[in-house]
Amino acid sequence: MDVSIEPSWKAYLQPEFEKPYFQQLTDFVRQEYQNNTCYPKGKDIFAAFDHCPFQETKVVIIGQDPYHGPNQANGLCFSVKDGIPHPPSLVNIFKEIKVDVQKPYPKSGNLERWADQGVLLLNATLTVRAHNAGSHQKKGWEQFTDAVIKTVSSQLDGVVFLLWGGFAKKKAALIDKSRHHILTSGHPSPLSANRGLWFGNQHFSKANQLLARMGKEPIDW
C-alpha cells in the first residue's frame, strides 16, 4: 500500500506496509480518525520520519504514546507544538539539558529542531484518541515501530539510542550492541525523576561525546 512517509524511510519500510497487520492498522486508524478526535493530525503521524531522513539518523529517542490533550502532539515523542505549555516530562528534559550542557531553558517545546539534526523522536504508538492515553496501543503500531528500530540497527552504524524508563529499555533487545551505543536511565516523568532516576544522567553530553568520537556532528540540544 502507498504510505505518505519520507522517501528514504519508505525504501526500507515498504515491506512492512505490505503486511496484513499494517493494512488492519491502517483501517483501524482511519476509522478512529473518522469517528473520534485523535492526535496528532493525520499529516503529522509520520512527522518523526519526515524531519529525520534515514541516512541522517544519529540519535534515537523512544517514547510510548503521543500526548492526548488538544494541540499538544506533533508527531515527535516528548515534543509539543510552538506556544503549547510544556508537559512535565518535557520540563524535566529541558532542566537536565540546562545543567548537562549549559543551554538556557527554551521557550518552545517543539523538538523539530532536534529531529532536523538527525534525532529520530519515535513513539512506539504513533496515534491516540483524545483524552484516552494508550487507546491505540496493541493495534499494530508497536510491530511497525519495532521494525523501524530493527531496521536502524541492521542498516546503520554508530547510532546513539537513548532509552528512558522501563518501556523504552525493553527495546534494547532489538538493537545490535556491537554496532550502536545505548544509554539508559529512568524516565523524565515526575514520578521517576523525583525518585532520583532521571536528573544527572548527562545523556545529552554523553550522546554528543559519542557522536564526536565517531566523527559525527554533535546535536545542538
Side-chain angles (χ1 to χ4, degrees):
M1 63 184 301
D2 190 41
V3 175
S4 181
I5 192 171
E6 199 276 335
S8 64
W9 285 99
K10 193 169 195 172
Y12 286 95
L13 298 176
Q14 190 61 43
E16 292 302 307
F17 302 147
E18 305 299 336
K19 292 179 181 177
Y21 87 87
F22 198 87
Q23 180 64 62
Q24 291 164 7
L25 170 63
T26 302
D27 292 343
F28 166 77
V29 170
R30 194 174 287 129
Q31 286 180 348
E32 281 285 290
Y33 273 71
Q34 282 173 355
N35 299 327
N36 304 282
T37 301
C38 296
Y39 303 118
K41 288 181 179 175
K43 67 179 178 61
D44 292 332
I45 291 173
F46 294 110
F49 305 92
D50 296 336
H51 283 274
C52 179
F54 184 76
Q55 301 292 350
E56 294 174 27
T57 303
K58 297 189 288 191
V59 177
V60 177
I61 299 176
I62 297 172
Q64 195 160 356
D65 235 14
Y67 296 121
H68 52 85
N71 299 316
Q72 288 183 304
N74 68 347
L76 311 178
C77 72
F78 296 106
S79 174
V80 291
K81 295 177 182 179
D82 293 318
I84 299 297
H86 303 172
S89 291
L90 188 57
V91 169
N92 287 336
I93 287 170
F94 287 150
K95 284 181 178 176
E96 176 61 23
I97 287 171
K98 186 177 179 182
V99 173
D100 184 23
V101 296
Q102 289 78 55
K103 273 190 75 82
Y105 191 101
K107 275 201 182 89
S108 174
N110 189 337
L111 302 182
E112 288 176 1
R113 60 185 183 273
W114 295 3
D116 292 336
Q117 298 177 72
V119 182
L120 180 66
L121 294 159
L122 182 68
N123 274 318
T125 301
L126 297 188
T127 57
V128 69
R129 193 187 295 183
H131 312 297
N132 192 350
S135 49
H136 288 187
Q137 291 177 3
K138 298 182 173 60
K139 302 295 184 183
W141 276 131
E142 296 90 342
Q143 186 173 342
F144 172 69
T145 52
D146 280 358
V148 170
I149 295 167
K150 289 178 192 171
T151 302
V152 170
S153 175
S154 65
Q155 301 298 323
L156 295 174
D157 285 300
V159 175
V160 182
F161 288 83
L162 306 183
L163 307 183
W164 301 336
F167 177 86
K169 287 176 187 175
K170 289 176 185 167
K171 303 298 182 183
L174 307 174
I175 302 162
D176 184 343
K177 296 163 192 63
S178 69
R179 297 175 66 154
H180 304 283
H181 303 276
I182 300 174
L183 301 177
T184 62
S185 82
H187 196 275
S189 69
L191 191 66
S192 173
N194 295 340
R195 299 206 321 263
L197 302 175
W198 165 256
F199 291 115
N201 67 20
Q202 298 180 322
H203 275 194
F204 305 96
S205 62
K206 287 176 180 176
N208 276 351
Q209 287 162 9
L210 289 166
L211 292 172
R213 208 181 299 159
M214 294 182 285
K216 300 181 182 182
E217 190 72 27
I219 305 299
D220 180 7
W221 300 106

